[in-house]
Amino acid sequence: MSLLQSRVKHKWYATIILLLMVGNAFAYHPLGADLSYQCLDPTHHVYKIILTYYHDCREPDENPDIALQISSASCHENFIVIPTPQPCPDNLNGEQPCEITPLCYASIAQSECNGGHYQGMEAVTYLDTVTLPQACTDWVFSFDVCCRGGNITNLMDPESHDLYVEATLNNALALSDNSPQFTTIPIPYICANQPFSYNLGTIDADGDSLVYSLISPMDAGETPITYENGYSVSDPLSTNGIFSFNTANGQLSFTPAAVQIAVITVLVKEYRLGQLIGTMMRDIEVVVYNLPNCALPPPVFSGIDSESVHGGILIGANSVRMCPGGHLSFSTQAIESSGDSVFSQSNIVASIPGAQYNTHYVSGNSIVGNFEWTPDESDTGQHNFVVTVSNHACPLSASQATAITVDIFSGVQPGLGYDTLICKGDSISLFSGNGSAYSWKQPTGLSCTECSKPIARPDTTSNYQEVITDPSTACKTSHHWLVMVQNLTINPLFSDTFVVEGTPVQLGANPTGGDHVFTYDWQPSEYLNSINDSQPVSIPYTDITYTLAVSSGSCAETSQINIHVRLLPDNVFIPNVFTPNGDGNNDYFMAYGDKVTWAKCEIAVFNRTGERVFESRDPEFKWDGTFKGTPLLSGVYIYRVVVVFHDKEVGRNYKGSLTLLR
């Protein structure tokens, strides 16, 4: 409930606090933990943090305080909260923890929680309400507790490692997000050499897309734990045959080959409109026994009966596709071939609100489930629910948990979202999902109207509607794409003009459109007092053309202004012919004028090949027509003279042809 008053700014300090409050207090071995969050107030970043902690009960102890670390590297945030343990609803007096050992009712007294010899399991749920200081892209909620049980068989030196889980959140991208929730217990007890199916029973209140992957179990600080030889992420336990994992719904299927206790870690990534907004991590500790009743075969869940599907089509053993607005129904069946009774349960209420999954017995060892749902357009996307079938074997009942997928045809999986912003003159591809026919309304600015990926180049904001036909179901669905056009206009405040050299010229622009935040770049920088102001001042001494580039958001425009400069008369005279023949008449090339007004003078002479044959920085220069002491031949040469006057900031350029005659 309480937030430590001083935020911890260094992770090592936060870790020390966590160890003092948690690591040394536990007499239990952790078996697993589920860490999730719910958004209570997106405007003020208020979240409910939910931790369900699973542990064994070999050394009963009071539940200690739990510390959760909350951090964001990009926002430089790092602090700790102490959540409050909640009463167990299954205990009459509300005491904690809840025993959830998956033994049959007659054998529950033989669990270690009750003084017996079977591994017992308890769970405690902790809650806290947290206000995050700001919206950040990389919030991490983490829980770390010592120490894993020494009886784990697939991890190297398990007792020396902590159990670490985390959930992440990008509330800068998804301001209001609720993390996925798990609805199955993560410590299944199963029989060796029996086929087993398990599912996390994940639900997402926001309808976001979930993608599953296997990762290494984690130690403190999100450090991967090394597997024992022969085990890996893709083969985390000893099996007969393959270990199967479905990345679309998190389904695990395998046949354990021997008695063992194996940890499997699943990472769930949460996507909204194609962008990652959060993740969750879950440890599954699989406990494999070899008991007398394990010789009996487990119940068999046959999946969806293809003959029973109405209102949709079967696209997989446990997957159905349908159109929004239709009514879907199908049935499933589970059989216990050993003659034992079988029972079934599902998470349909939490996972698909409005749908129904009712079961009835055909016989004592056969049970049928009937599914019905009438989804609407808002339900487009993929929906999973989990059916768990079990027998009544003791001490260990055999169970199978299987995910069933209902895919409501959506047609569109946009890469940029339905509302897209472009600049005027730009284009964007409006690409769709897989269909057999496409029709686009509001065709203005579209490259085609009967294609899957038209190019839109509208001049003004346009709302495009597409109608897609699904090739497998013939479902038609429509979606709207709003393409908002930003029309950035520079609106220059000055037009082309003529000025006298040295006269200040006020330039400027009053741009409109874009995102109303503008940046300016004037080029070239010559004669300007600033290149980044909206209204710089130029004092030109020669003709010049300025180019203004204005940017706003992702849009950019350019404009040009020409300034023509009228030069003031001066007293500089440069002849265009001289005769360096030694007759004392016009023997030197030089510049003439009132040199008292000259601040400096530079001269360079070039031959027809561009070679510099003379240069000087002396206003009193005299060139005698030689190069490196050798008289040059008669011909035409090019000169360039720059004179800077005392009353002007820049030089005046003089260039022309010079004839040398001998």
Side-chain angles (χ1 to χ4, degrees):
M1 292 279 297
S2 61
L3 171 66
L4 296 186
Q5 294 301 314
S6 62
R7 284 194 179 144
V8 183
K9 295 298 181 182
H10 301 286
K11 192 168 185 178
W12 63 267
Y13 183 41
T15 303
I16 290 174
I17 291 178
L18 194 62
L19 290 173
L20 290 176
M21 302 181 71
V22 178
N24 295 332
F26 278 96
Y28 305 105
H29 286 301
L31 303 178
D34 294 335
L35 183 57
S36 61
Y37 52 83
Q38 296 176 1
C39 182
L40 303 180
D41 182 350
T43 303
H44 300 95
H45 315 306
V46 181
Y47 292 83
K48 178 191 288 186
I49 310 299
I50 307 160
L51 171 71
T52 301
Y53 171 55
Y54 305 91
H55 58 76
D56 63 23
C57 45
R58 293 173 183 171
E59 300 178 42
D61 195 0
E62 292 184 0
N63 288 299
D65 287 338
I66 290 288
L68 303 178
Q69 186 170 346
I70 302 176
S71 62
S72 166
S74 66
C75 294
H76 307 289
E77 296 287 350
N78 195 334
F79 56 93
I80 286 176
V81 297
I82 311 299
T84 302
Q86 303 301 298
C88 176
D90 295 333
N91 295 338
L92 294 178
N93 57 5
E95 292 180 353
Q96 319 137 0
C98 295
E99 181 179 1
I100 54 172
T101 306
L103 296 172
C104 69
Y105 180 77
S107 299
I108 196 69
Q110 300 176 44
S111 78
E112 291 172 336
C113 300
N114 300 299
H117 58 280
Y118 292 116
Q119 176 172 305
M121 179 169 52
E122 295 177 330
V124 184
T125 297
Y126 296 81
L127 300 179
D128 198 5
T129 299
V130 174
T131 300
L132 301 179
Q134 54 186 311
C136 304
T137 61
D138 57 349
W139 282 112
V140 178
F141 309 91
S142 62
F143 172 62
D144 171 24
V145 59
C146 178
C147 297
R148 294 179 183 268
N151 55 358
I152 295 173
T153 56
N154 68 335
L155 301 181
M156 190 171 291
D157 195 15
E159 281 188 302
S160 66
H161 300 294
D162 289 2
L163 182 147
Y164 174 90
V165 294
E166 70 177 29
T168 66
L169 167 67
N170 180 351
N171 67 334
L173 183 62
L175 192 60
S176 176
D177 178 46
N178 300 284
S179 70
Q181 305 285 328
F182 301 124
T183 61
T184 57
I185 294 174
I187 304 94
Y189 288 12
I190 63 176
C191 287
N193 300 306
Q194 281 193 357
F196 178 68
S197 294
Y198 175 82
N199 194 279
L200 287 75
T202 317
I203 59 175
D204 188 278
D206 303 319
D208 295 317
S209 299
L210 305 179
V211 177
Y212 300 80
S213 61
L214 296 176
I215 62 172
S216 296
M218 296 295 171
D219 197 355
E222 200 179 359
T223 303
I225 301 174
T226 303
Y227 286 95
E228 285 282 5
N229 290 335
Y231 300 102
S232 65
V233 170
S234 58
D235 289 298
L237 75 167
S238 176
T239 62
N240 293 322
I242 64 172
F243 176 86
S244 174
F245 179 74
N246 189 320
T247 59
N249 58 23
Q251 184 75 34
L252 293 86
S253 300
F254 57 90
T255 300
V259 173
Q260 57 191 303
I261 296 180
V263 178
I264 303 170
T265 304
V266 179
L267 179 68
V268 184
K269 294 183 178 180
E270 181 185 12
Y271 291 88
R272 185 172 297 174
L273 292 177
Q275 295 182 300
L276 181 66
I277 60 173
T279 65
M280 286 186 67
M281 186 187 300
R282 193 185 210 198
D283 268 15
I284 304 166
E285 186 164 307
V286 181
V287 181
V288 183
Y289 285 102
N290 190 7
L291 301 173
N293 70 287
C294 286
L296 300 176
V300 176
F301 182 73
S302 60
I304 298 173
D305 178 5
S306 60
E307 299 295 328
S308 69
V309 178
H310 298 283
I313 62 170
L314 193 65
I315 58 175
N318 294 300
S319 184
V320 176
R321 178 174 291 165
M322 67 171 299
C323 305
H327 180 77
L328 175 66
S329 66
F330 59 80
S331 63
T332 65
Q333 187 172 17
I335 299 175
E336 172 55 80
S337 60
S338 66
D340 194 2
S341 58
V342 62
F343 67 95
S344 171
Q345 60 182 1
S346 76
N347 66 347
I348 189 73
V349 174
S351 58
I352 310 182
Q356 293 184 346
Y357 183 76
N358 300 311
T359 60
H360 66 275
Y361 285 96
V362 177
S363 62
N365 67 336
S366 177
I367 191 169
V368 171
N370 294 314
F371 175 89
E372 292 196 46
W373 190 27
T374 305
D376 57 28
E377 290 279 355
S378 65
D379 295 311
T380 56
Q382 193 173 88
H383 304 265
N384 297 307
F385 72 101
V386 176
V387 176
T388 302
V389 295
S390 308
N391 61 21
H392 289 84
C394 270
L396 189 61
S397 63
S399 65
Q400 307 286 332
T402 304
I404 294 179
T405 300
V406 180
D407 183 23
I408 311 302
F409 173 68
S410 59
V412 172
Q413 296 176 340
L416 295 176
Y418 297 114
D419 294 347
T420 303
L421 186 67
I422 66 171
C423 303
K424 186 175 181 179
D426 290 347
S427 62
I428 185 172
S429 176
L430 307 182
F431 58 93
S432 308
N434 294 324
S436 59
Y438 309 86
S439 177
W440 291 86
K441 311 300 180 183
Q442 177 62 29
T444 303
L446 287 182
S447 61
C448 56
T449 59
E450 304 292 332
C451 57
S452 63
K453 299 179 181 179
I455 303 299
R457 193 190 298 270
D459 291 329
T460 59
T461 296
S462 300
N463 192 351
Y464 297 103
Q465 180 187 9
E466 61 171 339
V467 179
I468 306 175
T469 303
D470 177 42
S472 60
T473 63
C475 298
K476 291 184 182 293
T477 187
S478 64
H479 296 272
H480 289 268
W481 294 72
L482 180 63
V483 180
M484 295 172 286
V485 178
Q486 284 189 341
N487 186 11
L488 177 61
T489 304
I490 291 183
N491 300 319
L493 300 178
F494 205 89
S495 58
D496 293 354
T497 188
F498 290 84
V499 297
V500 175
E501 65 171 317
T503 302
V505 179
Q506 177 75 64
L507 306 178
N510 183 24
T512 57
D515 62 6
H516 304 291
V517 177
F518 306 101
T519 59
Y520 305 87
D521 182 33
W522 295 84
Q523 293 296 334
S525 60
E526 191 175 2
Y527 307 132
L528 287 175
N529 67 337
S530 172
I531 64 171
N532 300 123
D533 286 351
S534 62
Q535 298 183 12
V537 174
S538 172
I539 304 178
Y541 287 89
T542 59
D543 290 352
I544 192 166
T545 298
Y546 289 112
T547 299
L548 168 62
V550 178
S551 299
S552 180
S554 60
C555 301
E557 289 290 340
T558 60
S559 179
Q560 286 189 334
I561 180 173
N562 298 297
I563 301 178
H564 304 281
V565 176
R566 181 168 61 84
L567 301 179
L568 293 173
D570 57 50
N571 57 2
V572 177
F573 170 72
I574 300 173
N576 60 4
V577 63
F578 77 117
T579 56
N581 52 16
D583 64 359
N585 184 29
N586 198 24
D587 285 332
Y588 298 98
F589 172 64
M590 64 183 70
Y592 300 90
D594 186 4
K595 297 183 180 179
V596 176
T597 64
W598 298 7
K600 62 180 180 180
C601 175
E602 297 180 2
I603 170 68
V605 180
F606 305 87
N607 61 21
R608 286 183 176 274
T609 65
E611 183 180 16
R612 190 191 303 264
V613 296
F614 175 74
E615 63 180 346
S616 175
R617 293 178 179 272
D618 184 0
E620 303 294 339
F621 73 87
K622 291 182 178 182
W623 183 42
D624 60 0
T626 63
F627 178 52
K628 296 182 179 180
T630 301
L632 295 175
L633 298 175
S634 296
V636 178
Y637 296 81
I638 304 299
Y639 71 84
R640 187 185 68 200
V641 177
V642 178
V643 177
V644 179
F645 300 93
H646 287 294
D647 59 347
K648 298 179 181 178
E649 296 181 2
V650 297
R652 178 170 290 182
N653 293 304
Y654 305 88
K655 56 185 178 181
S657 61
L658 171 66
T659 301
L660 187 156
L661 297 175
R662 291 193 181 276

